[in-house]
PDB file of all heavy atoms in Angstrom:
ATOM      1  N   GLY A  76       9.279   1.974  20.509  1.00 91.00           N
ATOM      2  CA  GLY A  76       9.876   0.704  20.934  1.00 91.00           C
ATOM      3  C   GLY A  76      10.264  -0.200  19.818  1.00 91.00           C
ATOM      4  O   GLY A  76      10.003   0.098  18.580  1.00 91.00           O
ATOM      5  N   ALA A  77      10.664  -1.431  20.160  1.00 93.00           N
ATOM      6  CA  ALA A  77      11.184  -2.343  19.171  1.00 93.00           C
ATOM      7  C   ALA A  77       9.989  -2.851  18.279  1.00 93.00           C
ATOM      8  O   ALA A  77      10.083  -3.079  17.042  1.00 93.00           O
ATOM      9  CB  ALA A  77      11.838  -3.531  19.862  1.00 93.00           C
ATOM     10  N   PHE A  78       8.878  -3.051  18.871  1.00 95.00           N
ATOM     11  CA  PHE A  78       7.687  -3.539  18.101  1.00 95.00           C
ATOM     12  C   PHE A  78       7.180  -2.471  17.113  1.00 95.00           C
ATOM     13  O   PHE A  78       6.810  -2.797  16.024  1.00 95.00           O
ATOM     14  CB  PHE A  78       6.536  -3.872  19.049  1.00 95.00           C
ATOM     15  CG  PHE A  78       6.814  -5.160  19.894  1.00 95.00           C
ATOM     16  CD1 PHE A  78       6.909  -4.956  21.333  1.00 95.00           C
ATOM     17  CD2 PHE A  78       6.954  -6.380  19.333  1.00 95.00           C
ATOM     18  CE1 PHE A  78       7.137  -6.082  22.070  1.00 95.00           C
ATOM     19  CE2 PHE A  78       7.193  -7.510  20.116  1.00 95.00           C
ATOM     20  CZ  PHE A  78       7.285  -7.357  21.498  1.00 95.00           C
ATOM     21  N   ALA A  79       7.297  -1.261  17.485  1.00 95.00           N
ATOM     22  CA  ALA A  79       6.960  -0.162  16.544  1.00 95.00           C
ATOM     23  C   ALA A  79       7.881  -0.114  15.441  1.00 95.00           C
ATOM     24  O   ALA A  79       7.419   0.090  14.202  1.00 95.00           O
ATOM     25  CB  ALA A  79       6.892   1.218  17.232  1.00 95.00           C
ATOM     26  N   VAL A  80       9.146  -0.259  15.611  1.00 96.00           N
ATOM     27  CA  VAL A  80      10.154  -0.220  14.565  1.00 96.00           C
ATOM     28  C   VAL A  80       9.895  -1.384  13.619  1.00 96.00           C
ATOM     29  O   VAL A  80       9.853  -1.246  12.315  1.00 96.00           O
ATOM     30  CB  VAL A  80      11.584  -0.267  15.127  1.00 96.00           C
ATOM     31  CG1 VAL A  80      12.592  -0.399  14.025  1.00 96.00           C
ATOM     32  CG2 VAL A  80      11.886   1.068  15.947  1.00 96.00           C
ATOM     33  N   ALA A  81       9.825  -2.590  14.157  1.00 96.00           N
ATOM     34  CA  ALA A  81       9.591  -3.732  13.354  1.00 96.00           C
ATOM     35  C   ALA A  81       8.322  -3.655  12.514  1.00 96.00           C
ATOM     36  O   ALA A  81       8.309  -3.950  11.295  1.00 96.00           O
ATOM     37  CB  ALA A  81       9.577  -4.949  14.165  1.00 96.00           C
ATOM     38  N   GLY A  82       7.204  -3.302  13.130  1.00 96.00           N
ATOM     39  CA  GLY A  82       5.935  -3.095  12.454  1.00 96.00           C
ATOM     40  C   GLY A  82       6.048  -2.044  11.423  1.00 96.00           C
ATOM     41  O   GLY A  82       5.444  -2.232  10.326  1.00 96.00           O
ATOM     42  N   GLY A  83       6.617  -0.899  11.804  1.00 97.00           N
ATOM     43  CA  GLY A  83       6.680   0.245  10.792  1.00 97.00           C
ATOM     44  C   GLY A  83       7.482  -0.128   9.517  1.00 97.00           C
ATOM     45  O   GLY A  83       7.058   0.202   8.435  1.00 97.00           O
ATOM     46  N   VAL A  84       8.619  -0.685   9.739  1.00 97.00           N
ATOM     47  CA  VAL A  84       9.489  -1.187   8.637  1.00 97.00           C
ATOM     48  C   VAL A  84       8.710  -2.189   7.704  1.00 97.00           C
ATOM     49  O   VAL A  84       8.656  -2.086   6.486  1.00 97.00           O
ATOM     50  CB  VAL A  84      10.811  -1.787   9.048  1.00 97.00           C
ATOM     51  CG1 VAL A  84      11.561  -2.447   7.907  1.00 97.00           C
ATOM     52  CG2 VAL A  84      11.634  -0.690   9.709  1.00 97.00           C
ATOM     53  N   SER A  85       8.115  -3.131   8.332  1.00 97.00           N
ATOM     54  CA  SER A  85       7.252  -4.096   7.566  1.00 97.00           C
ATOM     55  C   SER A  85       6.166  -3.430   6.847  1.00 97.00           C
ATOM     56  O   SER A  85       5.931  -3.771   5.618  1.00 97.00           O
ATOM     57  CB  SER A  85       6.695  -5.152   8.546  1.00 97.00           C
ATOM     58  OG  SER A  85       7.665  -5.877   9.246  1.00 97.00           O
ATOM     59  N   LEU A  86       5.434  -2.518   7.424  1.00 97.00           N
ATOM     60  CA  LEU A  86       4.341  -1.801   6.808  1.00 97.00           C
ATOM     61  C   LEU A  86       4.812  -1.027   5.561  1.00 97.00           C
ATOM     62  O   LEU A  86       4.188  -1.177   4.505  1.00 97.00           O
ATOM     63  CB  LEU A  86       3.692  -0.910   7.838  1.00 97.00           C
ATOM     64  CG  LEU A  86       2.613   0.032   7.274  1.00 97.00           C
ATOM     65  CD1 LEU A  86       1.283  -0.797   6.970  1.00 97.00           C
ATOM     66  CD2 LEU A  86       2.228   1.157   8.250  1.00 97.00           C
ATOM     67  N   LEU A  87       5.834  -0.275   5.702  1.00 97.00           N
ATOM     68  CA  LEU A  87       6.383   0.599   4.614  1.00 97.00           C
ATOM     69  C   LEU A  87       6.918  -0.317   3.383  1.00 97.00           C
ATOM     70  O   LEU A  87       6.706   0.020   2.285  1.00 97.00           O
ATOM     71  CB  LEU A  87       7.382   1.508   5.074  1.00 97.00           C
ATOM     72  CG  LEU A  87       6.914   2.545   6.113  1.00 97.00           C
ATOM     73  CD1 LEU A  87       8.028   3.485   6.591  1.00 97.00           C
ATOM     74  CD2 LEU A  87       5.673   3.424   5.507  1.00 97.00           C
ATOM     75  N   LEU A  88       7.592  -1.464   3.813  1.00 97.00           N
ATOM     76  CA  LEU A  88       8.078  -2.305   2.735  1.00 97.00           C
ATOM     77  C   LEU A  88       6.970  -2.940   1.938  1.00 97.00           C
ATOM     78  O   LEU A  88       7.038  -3.047   0.717  1.00 97.00           O
ATOM     79  CB  LEU A  88       8.955  -3.395   3.390  1.00 97.00           C
ATOM     80  CG  LEU A  88      10.402  -2.889   3.788  1.00 97.00           C
ATOM     81  CD1 LEU A  88      11.148  -4.070   4.465  1.00 97.00           C
ATOM     82  CD2 LEU A  88      11.214  -2.402   2.552  1.00 97.00           C
ATOM     83  N   LEU A  89       5.908  -3.350   2.677  1.00 97.00           N
ATOM     84  CA  LEU A  89       4.742  -3.920   2.039  1.00 97.00           C
ATOM     85  C   LEU A  89       4.060  -2.942   1.153  1.00 97.00           C
ATOM     86  O   LEU A  89       3.742  -3.240  -0.028  1.00 97.00           O
ATOM     87  CB  LEU A  89       3.736  -4.418   3.052  1.00 97.00           C
ATOM     88  CG  LEU A  89       4.038  -5.748   3.710  1.00 97.00           C
ATOM     89  CD1 LEU A  89       3.127  -6.016   4.976  1.00 97.00           C
ATOM     90  CD2 LEU A  89       3.905  -6.893   2.738  1.00 97.00           C
ATOM     91  N   LYS A  90       3.890  -1.737   1.599  1.00 97.00           N
ATOM     92  CA  LYS A  90       3.293  -0.666   0.724  1.00 97.00           C
ATOM     93  C   LYS A  90       4.114  -0.372  -0.452  1.00 97.00           C
ATOM     94  O   LYS A  90       3.601  -0.272  -1.578  1.00 97.00           O
ATOM     95  CB  LYS A  90       3.030   0.565   1.531  1.00 97.00           C
ATOM     96  CG  LYS A  90       1.872   0.589   2.508  1.00 97.00           C
ATOM     97  CD  LYS A  90       1.613   1.988   3.055  1.00 97.00           C
ATOM     98  CE  LYS A  90       0.372   1.999   3.979  1.00 97.00           C
ATOM     99  NZ  LYS A  90       0.045   3.297   4.432  1.00 97.00           N
ATOM    100  N   LEU A  91       5.358  -0.247  -0.319  1.00 96.00           N
ATOM    101  CA  LEU A  91       6.279   0.080  -1.455  1.00 96.00           C
ATOM    102  C   LEU A  91       6.206  -1.013  -2.503  1.00 96.00           C
ATOM    103  O   LEU A  91       5.988  -0.704  -3.666  1.00 96.00           O
ATOM    104  CB  LEU A  91       7.701   0.175  -0.886  1.00 96.00           C
ATOM    105  CG  LEU A  91       8.821   0.719  -1.849  1.00 96.00           C
ATOM    106  CD1 LEU A  91       9.967   1.279  -1.106  1.00 96.00           C
ATOM    107  CD2 LEU A  91       9.333  -0.438  -2.763  1.00 96.00           C
ATOM    108  N   THR A  92       6.331  -2.299  -2.100  1.00 96.00           N
ATOM    109  CA  THR A  92       6.429  -3.344  -3.026  1.00 96.00           C
ATOM    110  C   THR A  92       5.016  -3.573  -3.716  1.00 96.00           C
ATOM    111  O   THR A  92       4.915  -3.833  -4.884  1.00 96.00           O
ATOM    112  CB  THR A  92       6.867  -4.684  -2.433  1.00 96.00           C
ATOM    113  OG1 THR A  92       6.036  -4.887  -1.220  1.00 96.00           O
ATOM    114  CG2 THR A  92       8.291  -4.547  -2.032  1.00 96.00           C
ATOM    115  N   LEU A  93       3.967  -3.365  -2.920  1.00 96.00           N
ATOM    116  CA  LEU A  93       2.651  -3.525  -3.512  1.00 96.00           C
ATOM    117  C   LEU A  93       2.370  -2.406  -4.536  1.00 96.00           C
ATOM    118  O   LEU A  93       1.819  -2.719  -5.601  1.00 96.00           O
ATOM    119  CB  LEU A  93       1.567  -3.500  -2.406  1.00 96.00           C
ATOM    120  CG  LEU A  93       1.486  -4.823  -1.498  1.00 96.00           C
ATOM    121  CD1 LEU A  93       0.655  -4.556  -0.312  1.00 96.00           C
ATOM    122  CD2 LEU A  93       1.055  -5.987  -2.343  1.00 96.00           C
ATOM    123  N   MET A  94       2.633  -1.151  -4.196  1.00 96.00           N
ATOM    124  CA  MET A  94       2.425  -0.137  -5.145  1.00 96.00           C
ATOM    125  C   MET A  94       3.252  -0.277  -6.389  1.00 96.00           C
ATOM    126  O   MET A  94       2.782   0.140  -7.463  1.00 96.00           O
ATOM    127  CB  MET A  94       2.663   1.247  -4.439  1.00 96.00           C
ATOM    128  CG  MET A  94       1.718   1.668  -3.401  1.00 96.00           C
ATOM    129  SD  MET A  94       1.896   3.369  -2.844  1.00 96.00           S
ATOM    130  CE  MET A  94       0.928   3.410  -1.386  1.00 96.00           C
ATOM    131  N   ALA A  95       4.457  -0.759  -6.234  1.00 95.00           N
ATOM    132  CA  ALA A  95       5.249  -0.968  -7.377  1.00 95.00           C
ATOM    133  C   ALA A  95       4.799  -2.176  -8.242  1.00 95.00           C
ATOM    134  O   ALA A  95       5.231  -2.233  -9.430  1.00 95.00           O
ATOM    135  CB  ALA A  95       6.760  -1.169  -6.915  1.00 95.00           C
ATOM    136  N   SER A  96       4.005  -3.022  -7.710  1.00 93.00           N
ATOM    137  CA  SER A  96       3.672  -4.262  -8.414  1.00 93.00           C
ATOM    138  C   SER A  96       2.286  -4.154  -9.107  1.00 93.00           C
ATOM    139  O   SER A  96       1.892  -5.165  -9.781  1.00 93.00           O
ATOM    140  CB  SER A  96       3.529  -5.365  -7.384  1.00 93.00           C
ATOM    141  OG  SER A  96       4.788  -5.599  -6.738  1.00 93.00           O
ATOM    142  N   ILE A  97       1.565  -3.082  -9.009  1.00 94.00           N
ATOM    143  CA  ILE A  97       0.247  -2.915  -9.619  1.00 94.00           C
ATOM    144  C   ILE A  97       0.417  -2.906 -11.168  1.00 94.00           C
ATOM    145  O   ILE A  97       1.219  -2.106 -11.709  1.00 94.00           O
ATOM    146  CB  ILE A  97      -0.482  -1.673  -9.132  1.00 94.00           C
ATOM    147  CG1 ILE A  97      -0.600  -1.686  -7.628  1.00 94.00           C
ATOM    148  CG2 ILE A  97      -1.869  -1.580  -9.786  1.00 94.00           C
ATOM    149  CD1 ILE A  97      -1.124  -0.419  -7.049  1.00 94.00           C
ATOM    150  N   ALA A  98      -0.371  -3.731 -11.859  1.00 92.00           N
ATOM    151  CA  ALA A  98      -0.314  -3.785 -13.259  1.00 92.00           C
ATOM    152  C   ALA A  98      -0.827  -2.481 -13.886  1.00 92.00           C
ATOM    153  O   ALA A  98      -1.642  -1.722 -13.350  1.00 92.00           O
ATOM    154  CB  ALA A  98      -1.089  -4.934 -13.821  1.00 92.00           C
ATOM    155  N   ASP A  99      -0.313  -2.156 -15.108  1.00 92.00           N
ATOM    156  CA  ASP A  99      -0.635  -0.887 -15.765  1.00 92.00           C
ATOM    157  C   ASP A  99      -2.196  -0.773 -16.037  1.00 92.00           C
ATOM    158  O   ASP A  99      -2.777   0.326 -15.973  1.00 92.00           O
ATOM    159  CB  ASP A  99       0.088  -0.750 -17.091  1.00 92.00           C
ATOM    160  CG  ASP A  99       1.622  -0.562 -16.952  1.00 92.00           C
ATOM    161  OD1 ASP A  99       1.961  -0.144 -15.710  1.00 92.00           O
ATOM    162  OD2 ASP A  99       2.345  -0.792 -17.885  1.00 92.00           O
ATOM    163  N   GLU A 100      -2.827  -1.889 -16.310  1.00 91.00           N
ATOM    164  CA  GLU A 100      -4.202  -1.905 -16.707  1.00 91.00           C
ATOM    165  C   GLU A 100      -5.092  -1.414 -15.555  1.00 91.00           C
ATOM    166  O   GLU A 100      -6.217  -0.847 -15.776  1.00 91.00           O
ATOM    167  CB  GLU A 100      -4.625  -3.303 -17.156  1.00 91.00           C
ATOM    168  CG  GLU A 100      -4.050  -3.726 -18.454  1.00 91.00           C
ATOM    169  CD  GLU A 100      -2.674  -4.331 -18.220  1.00 91.00           C
ATOM    170  OE1 GLU A 100      -2.069  -4.264 -17.182  1.00 91.00           O
ATOM    171  OE2 GLU A 100      -2.190  -5.017 -19.223  1.00 91.00           O
ATOM    172  N   ILE A 101      -4.754  -1.635 -14.277  1.00 94.00           N
ATOM    173  CA  ILE A 101      -5.583  -1.247 -13.199  1.00 94.00           C
ATOM    174  C   ILE A 101      -4.870  -0.209 -12.285  1.00 94.00           C
ATOM    175  O   ILE A 101      -5.401   0.123 -11.254  1.00 94.00           O
ATOM    176  CB  ILE A 101      -5.998  -2.427 -12.384  1.00 94.00           C
ATOM    177  CG1 ILE A 101      -4.718  -3.165 -11.782  1.00 94.00           C
ATOM    178  CG2 ILE A 101      -6.843  -3.425 -13.163  1.00 94.00           C
ATOM    179  CD1 ILE A 101      -4.939  -4.099 -10.724  1.00 94.00           C
ATOM    180  N   ARG A 102      -3.715   0.240 -12.702  1.00 95.00           N
ATOM    181  CA  ARG A 102      -2.805   0.999 -11.779  1.00 95.00           C
ATOM    182  C   ARG A 102      -3.499   2.323 -11.288  1.00 95.00           C
ATOM    183  O   ARG A 102      -3.591   2.522 -10.059  1.00 95.00           O
ATOM    184  CB  ARG A 102      -1.533   1.361 -12.496  1.00 95.00           C
ATOM    185  CG  ARG A 102      -0.502   1.984 -11.586  1.00 95.00           C
ATOM    186  CD  ARG A 102       0.852   1.922 -12.122  1.00 95.00           C
ATOM    187  NE  ARG A 102       1.814   2.475 -11.202  1.00 95.00           N
ATOM    188  CZ  ARG A 102       2.404   1.686 -10.240  1.00 95.00           C
ATOM    189  NH1 ARG A 102       2.081   0.405 -10.156  1.00 95.00           N
ATOM    190  NH2 ARG A 102       3.230   2.294  -9.322  1.00 95.00           N
ATOM    191  N   ALA A 103      -3.980   3.096 -12.204  1.00 96.00           N
ATOM    192  CA  ALA A 103      -4.605   4.357 -11.751  1.00 96.00           C
ATOM    193  C   ALA A 103      -5.789   4.164 -10.903  1.00 96.00           C
ATOM    194  O   ALA A 103      -6.064   4.824  -9.912  1.00 96.00           O
ATOM    195  CB  ALA A 103      -4.927   5.209 -12.951  1.00 96.00           C
ATOM    196  N   GLY A 104      -6.657   3.144 -11.286  1.00 96.00           N
ATOM    197  CA  GLY A 104      -7.828   2.903 -10.598  1.00 96.00           C
ATOM    198  C   GLY A 104      -7.623   2.411  -9.126  1.00 96.00           C
ATOM    199  O   GLY A 104      -8.186   2.869  -8.191  1.00 96.00           O
ATOM    200  N   LEU A 105      -6.721   1.454  -9.028  1.00 97.00           N
ATOM    201  CA  LEU A 105      -6.420   0.884  -7.632  1.00 97.00           C
ATOM    202  C   LEU A 105      -5.733   1.855  -6.772  1.00 97.00           C
ATOM    203  O   LEU A 105      -5.989   1.958  -5.550  1.00 97.00           O
ATOM    204  CB  LEU A 105      -5.588  -0.348  -7.779  1.00 97.00           C
ATOM    205  CG  LEU A 105      -5.305  -1.179  -6.495  1.00 97.00           C
ATOM    206  CD1 LEU A 105      -6.621  -1.510  -5.833  1.00 97.00           C
ATOM    207  CD2 LEU A 105      -4.508  -2.445  -6.832  1.00 97.00           C
ATOM    208  N   LEU A 106      -4.786   2.733  -7.360  1.00 98.00           N
ATOM    209  CA  LEU A 106      -4.164   3.713  -6.567  1.00 98.00           C
ATOM    210  C   LEU A 106      -5.246   4.778  -5.993  1.00 98.00           C
ATOM    211  O   LEU A 106      -5.022   5.285  -4.894  1.00 98.00           O
ATOM    212  CB  LEU A 106      -3.097   4.439  -7.377  1.00 98.00           C
ATOM    213  CG  LEU A 106      -1.760   3.713  -7.630  1.00 98.00           C
ATOM    214  CD1 LEU A 106      -0.867   4.451  -8.606  1.00 98.00           C
ATOM    215  CD2 LEU A 106      -1.117   3.439  -6.274  1.00 98.00           C
ATOM    216  N   ALA A 107      -6.167   5.096  -6.743  1.00 98.00           N
ATOM    217  CA  ALA A 107      -7.152   5.995  -6.405  1.00 98.00           C
ATOM    218  C   ALA A 107      -8.149   5.436  -5.328  1.00 98.00           C
ATOM    219  O   ALA A 107      -8.613   6.125  -4.401  1.00 98.00           O
ATOM    220  CB  ALA A 107      -7.983   6.503  -7.572  1.00 98.00           C
ATOM    221  N   VAL A 108      -8.451   4.084  -5.518  1.00 97.00           N
ATOM    222  CA  VAL A 108      -9.458   3.489  -4.650  1.00 97.00           C
ATOM    223  C   VAL A 108      -8.965   3.060  -3.261  1.00 97.00           C
ATOM    224  O   VAL A 108      -9.680   3.129  -2.281  1.00 97.00           O
ATOM    225  CB  VAL A 108     -10.113   2.304  -5.422  1.00 97.00           C
ATOM    226  CG1 VAL A 108     -10.865   1.427  -4.475  1.00 97.00           C
ATOM    227  CG2 VAL A 108     -10.978   2.805  -6.570  1.00 97.00           C
ATOM    228  N   PHE A 109      -7.768   2.610  -3.210  1.00 97.00           N
ATOM    229  CA  PHE A 109      -7.298   1.947  -1.987  1.00 97.00           C
ATOM    230  C   PHE A 109      -7.373   2.890  -0.756  1.00 97.00           C
ATOM    231  O   PHE A 109      -7.719   2.513   0.313  1.00 97.00           O
ATOM    232  CB  PHE A 109      -5.933   1.242  -2.031  1.00 97.00           C
ATOM    233  CG  PHE A 109      -4.744   2.062  -1.830  1.00 97.00           C
ATOM    234  CD1 PHE A 109      -4.264   2.232  -0.522  1.00 97.00           C
ATOM    235  CD2 PHE A 109      -4.102   2.634  -2.865  1.00 97.00           C
ATOM    236  CE1 PHE A 109      -3.144   2.976  -0.264  1.00 97.00           C
ATOM    237  CE2 PHE A 109      -2.951   3.468  -2.551  1.00 97.00           C
ATOM    238  CZ  PHE A 109      -2.431   3.611  -1.362  1.00 97.00           C
ATOM    239  N   PRO A 110      -6.952   4.125  -0.823  1.00 98.00           N
ATOM    240  CA  PRO A 110      -7.092   4.998   0.334  1.00 98.00           C
ATOM    241  C   PRO A 110      -8.540   5.389   0.630  1.00 98.00           C
ATOM    242  O   PRO A 110      -8.864   5.579   1.866  1.00 98.00           O
ATOM    243  CB  PRO A 110      -6.345   6.347  -0.083  1.00 98.00           C
ATOM    244  CG  PRO A 110      -5.578   5.964  -1.250  1.00 98.00           C
ATOM    245  CD  PRO A 110      -6.291   4.850  -1.914  1.00 98.00           C
ATOM    246  N   CYS A 111      -9.343   5.374  -0.345  1.00 98.00           N
ATOM    247  CA  CYS A 111     -10.841   5.575  -0.095  1.00 98.00           C
ATOM    248  C   CYS A 111     -11.474   4.399   0.630  1.00 98.00           C
ATOM    249  O   CYS A 111     -12.143   4.631   1.663  1.00 98.00           O
ATOM    250  CB  CYS A 111     -11.531   5.804  -1.496  1.00 98.00           C
ATOM    251  SG  CYS A 111     -13.347   5.856  -1.380  1.00 98.00           S
ATOM    252  N   ALA A 112     -11.200   3.180   0.234  1.00 97.00           N
ATOM    253  CA  ALA A 112     -11.797   2.053   0.838  1.00 97.00           C
ATOM    254  C   ALA A 112     -11.211   1.805   2.222  1.00 97.00           C
ATOM    255  O   ALA A 112     -12.033   1.451   3.150  1.00 97.00           O
ATOM    256  CB  ALA A 112     -11.485   0.754  -0.036  1.00 97.00           C
ATOM    257  N   SER A 113      -9.993   2.077   2.479  1.00 97.00           N
ATOM    258  CA  SER A 113      -9.444   1.923   3.751  1.00 97.00           C
ATOM    259  C   SER A 113      -9.999   2.865   4.786  1.00 97.00           C
ATOM    260  O   SER A 113     -10.194   2.539   6.002  1.00 97.00           O
ATOM    261  CB  SER A 113      -7.868   2.040   3.787  1.00 97.00           C
ATOM    262  OG  SER A 113      -7.520   3.381   3.498  1.00 97.00           O
ATOM    263  N   ARG A 114     -10.291   4.103   4.406  1.00 97.00           N
ATOM    264  CA  ARG A 114     -10.924   5.039   5.219  1.00 97.00           C
ATOM    265  C   ARG A 114     -12.386   4.714   5.541  1.00 97.00           C
ATOM    266  O   ARG A 114     -12.901   5.102   6.617  1.00 97.00           O
ATOM    267  CB  ARG A 114     -10.631   6.485   4.733  1.00 97.00           C
ATOM    268  CG  ARG A 114      -9.285   6.925   5.021  1.00 97.00           C
ATOM    269  CD  ARG A 114      -8.698   7.999   4.083  1.00 97.00           C
ATOM    270  NE  ARG A 114      -7.312   8.289   4.444  1.00 97.00           N
ATOM    271  CZ  ARG A 114      -6.258   7.510   4.132  1.00 97.00           C
ATOM    272  NH1 ARG A 114      -6.458   6.387   3.564  1.00 97.00           N
ATOM    273  NH2 ARG A 114      -4.986   7.885   4.433  1.00 97.00           N
ATOM    274  N   PHE A 115     -13.036   4.159   4.597  1.00 97.00           N
ATOM    275  CA  PHE A 115     -14.340   3.632   4.926  1.00 97.00           C
ATOM    276  C   PHE A 115     -14.248   2.489   6.017  1.00 97.00           C
ATOM    277  O   PHE A 115     -15.024   2.500   6.952  1.00 97.00           O
ATOM    278  CB  PHE A 115     -14.984   3.053   3.660  1.00 97.00           C
ATOM    279  CG  PHE A 115     -16.192   2.113   4.011  1.00 97.00           C
ATOM    280  CD1 PHE A 115     -17.331   2.682   4.560  1.00 97.00           C
ATOM    281  CD2 PHE A 115     -16.055   0.717   3.704  1.00 97.00           C
ATOM    282  CE1 PHE A 115     -18.389   1.778   4.876  1.00 97.00           C
ATOM    283  CE2 PHE A 115     -17.118  -0.032   4.121  1.00 97.00           C
ATOM    284  CZ  PHE A 115     -18.262   0.466   4.670  1.00 97.00           C
TER     285      PHE A 115
END
């Protein structure tokens, strides 16, 4: 439905921009940790 489309687009855009915005100094660590913490 419409809510799923709007929510899905927002979710993917947020993830894309956030992953692209991580600073080099913490990039590898944060990319490794965020799927771990979310599943906890």
Side-chain angles (χ1 to χ4, degrees):
F78 291 114
V80 173
V84 170
S85 300
L86 175 72
L87 296 179
L88 284 176
L89 279 169
K90 283 190 178 183
L91 187 157
T92 52
L93 288 170
M94 288 189 195
S96 301
I97 304 172
D99 291 343
E100 292 85 345
I101 60 165
R102 190 166 183 84
L105 187 55
L106 285 174
V108 166
F109 88 88
C111 172
S113 69
R114 280 151 184 79
F115 162 66

